[in-house]
Amino acid sequence: MKNALFFAASLALANAHAAASEPTMCKPGEKDIFSCTTHARKTASLCASPDFSAGGGTVQYRFGTPANIELQYPNTPQPAAGKFFFSSTMYSGGGEAHIRFANGGYDYILFDRTVRTNFKGPTNDPQFSSGIVVRGPKVGKASTRGCTNDASIKSDAYEALPKEEFEDLN
């Protein structure tokens, strides 16, 4: 019994340490829905209030560094309705999830993708990628910033954010 308790306590401590070391722009007490560190060593985070759900709570996107927030949308945390939208699509051996918002004539799409890379062997050999796509009048078709960390859209977003139809980003 003591060994089981020791193992459970050690696992909880390791998980807390790993979570604390992940880059995020979220404030203490906020839920981290998505956090992506870019090659430029900046972080993009979608942060939510503790009560975030389909029935309530607030969200806010932040980009930059803790010392310099370069973009914050909306200016204050607000309900997601009419501002943030979730979509997803399935692939053979994978899938993709998106969170989209518009600000200043630009569309920002946070994405999390799993793609099967092996069709001949016994395993799928999945490839994972995530990032931020920015589309607007000054960036042409689209600009993509890939994440250097394991940035996944947390399951809270799947049910809490308003849904929209999947739009191919290509």
Side-chain angles (χ1 to χ4, degrees):
M1 181 71 165
K2 283 184 180 179
N3 287 340
L5 289 174
F6 177 76
F7 176 74
S10 297
L11 183 59
L13 184 60
N15 286 340
H17 176 69
S21 65
E22 286 295 315
T24 185
M25 295 292 287
C26 297
K27 298 172 185 172
E30 289 181 321
K31 289 183 179 183
D32 184 339
I33 303 300
F34 178 84
S35 280
C36 166
T37 301
T38 68
H39 291 283
R41 297 184 188 186
K42 296 183 180 179
T43 301
S45 296
L46 184 62
C47 307
S49 62
D51 61 341
F52 180 61
S53 68
T58 60
V59 291
Q60 185 178 46
Y61 172 82
R62 299 180 191 118
F63 176 80
T65 65
N68 182 28
I69 298 175
E70 297 176 30
L71 175 62
Q72 188 167 271
Y73 175 82
N75 288 330
T76 59
Q78 296 181 15
K83 293 177 180 56
F84 293 89
F85 303 92
F86 178 82
S87 65
S88 64
T89 190
M90 299 301 293
Y91 300 144
S92 172
E96 190 169 336
H98 311 97
I99 297 173
R100 183 187 65 79
F101 66 94
N103 183 38
Y106 291 87
D107 275 334
Y108 295 80
I109 299 108
L110 315 176
F111 71 89
D112 174 8
R113 177 184 308 143
T114 303
V115 178
R116 178 181 181 171
T117 62
N118 182 8
F119 290 89
K120 295 181 181 180
T123 62
N124 287 344
D125 297 336
Q127 181 181 44
F128 305 96
S129 62
S130 54
I132 307 148
V133 175
V134 180
R135 296 186 300 190
K138 294 181 183 175
V139 294
K141 184 177 179 183
S143 170
T144 303
R145 293 181 183 199
C147 301
T148 60
N149 62 319
D150 180 18
S152 297
I153 295 174
K154 308 300 186 294
S155 60
D156 294 20
Y158 287 60
E159 294 302 321
L161 292 173
K163 309 295 182 286
E164 69 180 0
E165 291 296 315
F166 170 74
E167 178 185 350
D168 189 352
L169 299 178
N170 293 320

